[in-house]
Structure formats: C-alpha cells, structure tokens
Amino acid sequence: MIVWKDFPAEVEEDAKVLVEQAGMFAAVSYPGTRAVLPPGGCAKYLESMRSSHRHNLKKKLRRGEAVGSLVASVIQNPDPQTLEQIFGLFWQTYEKGKTKFEKLNPKFFQEIAKFESSHWVLLRHPADGKPAAFMLCFSLGKRVINKFIGLDYTLAGDWFLYFRLWREAVEWASRAGATEIQSGQTGYRAKLDVDHTLVPLTNYCRHRNPLMNWVFAKVAMGITWETLDEDLKNFTHSRRQQAH
C-alpha cells in the first residue's frame, strides 16, 4: 500500500489529476488543528476566545494552580537528565492515548533537541525541578508547530496540566512573533476547548494489488471524521444540533 498522507484542501484540484494518473483513491484523514494568535500574548489570546471557552479555561487554570504550583520555562537543548525525564512523560502519554501514530524512542528526542527550531515548553515542580509536563514546539517564523506532548498521569486530572502548558506555549509563541499554532492530530477535545479550528486533510492511497485497491477504495468512501475519532464524532453532532 502506498499512501500520500495529509494533503490540505488547497491542493485538492491538483491532487485529483495525480490520483487519476496513478490510479489512487482518496480517504478522509484525521484533521489538523490550528489556533490563531493575536499579538499581545496570552491576555489578548484569551480576549479573542469565545466567551464560554474563555470562562472555562480561566476556571481550569485557577483550579489547577490551587491544587499545586508549577514553574514554567521554555528551553532549548535540554541536558541528558531532563531529556530522559521528558521521554518518560512522552511515554506515559503515548501509552494513555487511544490513537497512536509515532512510536518514538529516546534517540529521537536526543537528535531533535539539536535543531535550532526546537523549543521545549516545560512545567516543573518547584521543589525538585522535575518536569510534570512538556510540549515540544518548532518555531518556524509566523508559525509554531506543537508536535509532541507529555503529561505526568500520576497527577490527578484537577492539576489541568494540558491547559496550564497551553497557556505557557501561547505566551511564548506570541512573544516570538508567531501568528498561529498548529497542534497536529488527535486529542481533539482539549484542543477544541481552547479554540483550535479543524483543518481538513486527505490521504491518497493505492494498493499494488488491483483487486485489493478496488476493495479499499470502496471502504474509504465510508470514512468520515465521525468514524475516525469519538471526539470528532461528538463535535460533528454538536455542530449539526447548533445548525438546526
């Protein structure tokens, strides 16, 4: 099976020509996510949010800070001990996730840390400096890509680690001059709660066996956001209800 993965809608017309020539078929992919950042840091970002989302985010931040204090920082080139702790958080999150893509190892984090674009948003315990959460972001001019995340799941949910981490990422990205953060695929519920929009993406596929290619093409016709992910299913149903 050959798969050309995650093409945006902007190239759909060109992709159709390639698909016809190569005998491929289209399949709906997990959508990407994008949050627009107005200038002025997290305060301005909060002002730009829908009122219900802003209220809920502020409440979660207050409740999380009441449970336990954490020290925020954005670093580059973490030392070996910190990288080891970061990988431990990533692995917790990977094991917890229902949908799994990249199964990374410690070597990946060692290599990716060498790049100038790599920035690590960290939340640490003030007593011992041990990370409780991280977000690996790539700074690419006006765009920041939030690619990998890790949370300490031994801490109760009322720490609201993701939302506290997101606040720090927004503050840093805004100061760096970014106008948007792209947060990738899966984990949609939390991302929608902080006003990400969904970016439709399409996979183009071909099986080398013509009969299997025909079968998979028929199956692909039934793939929708609702069949891919429970959070997307709930989001789609909610949008339909609002439309009516």
Side-chain angles (χ1 to χ4, degrees), residues 34-101:
R34 176 189 294 137
V36 176
L37 299 184
C42 192
K44 290 297 182 182
Y45 167 77
L46 286 168
E47 290 179 10
S48 72
M49 293 179 71
R50 282 174 284 181
S51 59
S52 59
H53 286 185
R54 179 172 60 249
H55 172 76
N56 289 335
L57 177 56
K58 285 183 174 181
K59 183 169 68 173
K60 289 171 182 175
L61 294 174
R62 287 194 303 269
R63 289 175 59 188
E65 287 159 1
V67 171
S69 62
L70 295 169
V71 178
S73 62
V74 181
I75 66 172
Q76 293 184 277
N77 298 313
D79 60 72
Q81 181 182 10
T82 303
L83 272 178
E84 183 179 350
Q85 294 168 331
I86 282 172
F87 179 76
L89 294 174
F90 166 78
W91 193 251
Q92 280 195 55
T93 307
Y94 179 84
E95 293 275 272
K96 193 79 171 178
K98 295 180 181 178
T99 303
K100 295 176 170 61
F101 290 128

Side-chain angles (χ1 to χ4, degrees), residues 68 166 175:
W166 174 250
R175 289 199 309 267

